[in-house]
Amino acid sequence: MLRIRGELEAEQREARAEIARLERRLTQKDEALDQKLDGVERRERELSRLEVEVRQRHEEADRLVAQQLAELQRVAGLTREEAREELLEQVRAQAAL
């Protein structure tokens, strides 16, 4: 009877030790998943920020192209001498900066 009881207690200790080991392993995996999730969320935020930046730059580029097109259309209506004078004024203005 004592031998059986000893064997049962030993089995229970082993089972508890196995459960504790599995719980530690599960906790480690849970922490690793949390870290990966944090990394994914960080990357998503960065991608969202970059997407906004790219969109803004694209809009700025579109605006500049439209502005240049309007300027070309305006300059196309000038005489050669008027265009030359306009160019010289712009160069002088930039040099003054």
Side-chain angles (χ1 to χ4, degrees):
M1 181 77 166
L2 288 176
R3 183 178 57 80
I4 295 174
R5 183 175 183 166
E7 289 174 3
L8 286 175
E9 288 174 354
E11 285 180 19
Q12 286 179 340
R13 280 192 302 273
E14 289 176 16
R16 280 190 221 113
E18 179 67 12
I19 289 171
R21 186 184 67 75
L22 290 172
E23 285 176 345
R24 282 192 303 275
R25 189 170 167 207
L26 183 60
T27 299
Q28 290 172 344
K29 286 186 176 192
D30 191 43
E31 289 171 357
L33 284 174
D34 284 344
Q35 289 175 354
K36 286 181 182 180
L37 181 60
D38 288 344
V40 168
E41 289 171 347
R42 238 185 339 272
R43 284 190 293 272
E44 283 179 349
R45 284 191 301 272
E46 179 65 11
L47 287 174
S48 293
R49 185 190 67 76
L50 289 173
E51 184 180 3
V52 168
E53 185 178 327
V54 166
R55 190 178 315 117
Q56 289 172 342
R57 286 184 181 192
H58 189 269
E59 289 170 359
E60 177 68 11
D62 287 346
R63 187 186 65 75
L64 289 173
V65 167
Q67 183 181 354
Q68 289 176 345
L69 181 59
E71 181 66 14
L72 284 173
Q73 289 171 342
R74 184 187 71 76
V75 171
L78 299 177
T79 66
R80 181 181 172 105
E81 187 58 32
E82 290 171 332
R84 183 179 174 280
E85 285 301 317
E86 177 78 24
L87 179 60
L88 287 173
E89 285 178 29
Q90 288 177 3
V91 169
R92 287 184 193 122
Q94 289 178 357
L97 297 176

